[in-house]
């Protein structure tokens, strides 16, 4: 605990919190959470559940777990005119794959799709160059003095603020 700083929320959940902040552009200010050790005999949490609300009434929920026995990554964004789902994650172990992005549009005009089965567009991914791009941005900042745009110290600070707010509930 002294070395890691936290359990599953700090280990994996922090990345989803960072992504939620990035995609929403919101500053979450209200929190309800449960941080539990449900299964593993450890002094850190193996499950973290959180609901967050921004000053603009944007709601976000998170479940970060070490007790879902199958690796799973699922991010759902529900909007007024439709939704976006990112299901799966390309990792070096390939245990979260396949990765697909699903777009669904609200279609109340067509009764066939109005009752919970909208048409979806599905895009699958086989490569993820995001880490390479992030490293290149960092190297350019060090070598050429360019500005860091993605993953700034402010982004890191905000992710840590969210973690601490969830832990304090």
């Amino acid at each position: 605990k002294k070395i890691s700083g936290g359990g599953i929320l700090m280990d994996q959940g922090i990345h989803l919190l960072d992504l939620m902040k990035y995609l929403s552009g919101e500053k979450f200010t209200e929190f309800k959470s449960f941080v539990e050790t449900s299964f593993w005999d450890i002094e850190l949490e193996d499950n973290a559940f959180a609901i967050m609300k921004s000053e603009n009434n944007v709601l976000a929920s998170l479940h970060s777990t070490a007790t879902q026995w199958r690796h799973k990554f699922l991010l759902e964004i529900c909007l007024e005119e439709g939704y976006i789902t990112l299901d799966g994650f390309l990792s070096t172990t390939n245990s979260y794959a396949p990765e697909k992005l699903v777009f669904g549009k609200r279609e109340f005009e067509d009764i066939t799709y109005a009752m919970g089965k909208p048409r979806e567009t599905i895009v699958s991914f086989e490569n993820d160059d995001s880490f390479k791009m992030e490293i290149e941005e960092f190297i350019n900042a060090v070598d050429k003095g360019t500005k860091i745009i993605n993953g700034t110290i402010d982004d890191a600070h905000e992710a840590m603020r969210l973690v601490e707010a969830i832990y304090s509930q």
Side-chain angles (χ1 to χ4, degrees):
K1 184 174 184 177
K2 291 176 186 174
I3 295 170
S4 70
I8 196 67
L9 180 62
M10 182 70 80
D11 182 38
Q12 291 183 342
I14 193 169
H15 301 293
L16 192 52
L17 289 169
D18 185 43
L19 189 57
M20 293 163 84
K21 166 70 175 90
Y22 174 77
L23 292 173
S24 72
E26 294 289 322
K27 180 170 184 168
F28 296 102
T29 55
E30 293 182 54
F31 302 86
K32 302 291 182 194
S33 62
F34 293 95
V35 179
E36 306 282 334
T37 305
S38 304
F39 181 79
W40 296 106
D41 187 19
I42 56 175
E43 56 178 309
L44 302 167
E45 81 279 354
D46 56 19
N47 276 278
F49 301 85
I51 299 172
M52 306 178 300
K53 186 177 182 180
S54 77
E55 293 170 341
N56 295 320
N57 292 319
V58 172
L59 291 170
S61 66
L62 164 84
H63 178 207
S64 184
T65 179
T67 60
Q68 178 150 355
W69 307 123
R70 180 182 184 277
H71 284 166
K72 183 169 186 70
F73 178 90
L74 180 63
L75 176 66
E76 298 173 306
I77 302 171
C78 299
L79 306 161
E80 290 177 13
E81 296 295 326
Y83 59 90
I84 302 168
T85 301
L86 178 59
D87 189 357
F89 179 78
L90 294 175
S91 66
T92 55
T93 64
N94 216 22
S95 61
Y96 291 88
E99 183 175 306
K100 64 182 178 179
L101 189 61
V102 179
F103 300 93
K105 187 171 176 9
R106 185 183 74 175
E107 300 181 88
F108 291 131
E109 300 79 25
D110 185 342
I111 194 67
T112 307
Y113 298 103
M115 304 308 285
K117 287 190 71 178
R119 286 179 275 224
E120 295 181 330
T121 300
I122 300 172
V123 180
S124 296
F125 299 92
E126 295 181 12
N127 298 310
D128 180 3
D129 294 329
S130 61
F131 185 68
K132 178 183 174 212
M133 293 163 56
E134 190 173 332
I135 292 297
E136 286 173 357
E137 181 180 17
F138 178 75
I139 290 170
N140 285 333
V142 172
D143 286 348
K144 300 174 184 167
T146 59
K147 185 176 179 177
I148 298 277
I149 297 170
N150 300 295
T152 67
I153 191 69
D154 292 332
D155 294 331
H157 184 266
E158 181 61 14
M160 286 301 299
R161 184 188 72 81
L162 296 174
V163 167
E164 289 300 321
I166 292 167
Y167 276 143
S168 69
Q169 288 294 300

